[in-house]
Amino acid sequence: MARLKFEMWPYIDSKGNKDGYMTRFTDGNGYSTESWWSSPPASIDHVGPEYLKQRHRHPNVRNARHDAFFKRRYKEEIIKFKA
């Protein structure tokens, strides 16, 4: 079983301008999904698990463990970019 993995980086558009952020979540089976955030919130604690499962976010966030991991890592990464 692979380890859970979360990555976040600035998204650069075709003109070289920063245009939001990308996130990638890899689940325990090694399946990865990516999502673009135009204006990511500083916190996602208020977001329910169904939000991340939606097709346009990360449908491979399938259980409470994934949800907790994603939110913890998101908060760790967004601090780096919002500072």
Side-chain angles (χ1 to χ4, degrees):
M1 178 191 269
R3 299 184 69 106
L4 300 179
K5 186 175 181 183
F6 177 87
E7 301 165 87
M8 179 181 266
W9 63 94
Y11 176 77
I12 308 301
D13 68 14
S14 60
K15 296 178 182 177
N17 301 313
K18 188 176 108 179
D19 185 26
Y21 297 87
M22 291 293 294
T23 56
R24 179 182 299 131
F25 174 71
T26 305
D27 65 20
N29 294 322
Y31 179 71
S32 294
T33 55
E34 292 184 355
S35 184
W36 173 69
W37 304 69
S38 62
S39 182
S43 174
I44 60 170
D45 287 336
H46 64 284
V47 172
E50 66 283 348
Y51 178 78
L52 293 176
K53 289 180 188 178
Q54 291 174 354
R55 286 180 25 147
H56 67 283
R57 287 292 176 216
H58 295 283
N60 59 334
V61 174
R62 291 186 297 270
N63 57 45
R65 182 175 144 255
H66 290 173
D67 186 64
F69 175 83
F70 187 97
K71 288 179 177 181
R72 179 178 55 81
R73 290 290 296 127
Y74 177 96
K75 288 187 279 187
E76 292 170 359
E77 292 298 314
I78 200 67
I79 288 171
K80 296 175 186 177
F81 296 112
K82 295 288 185 172

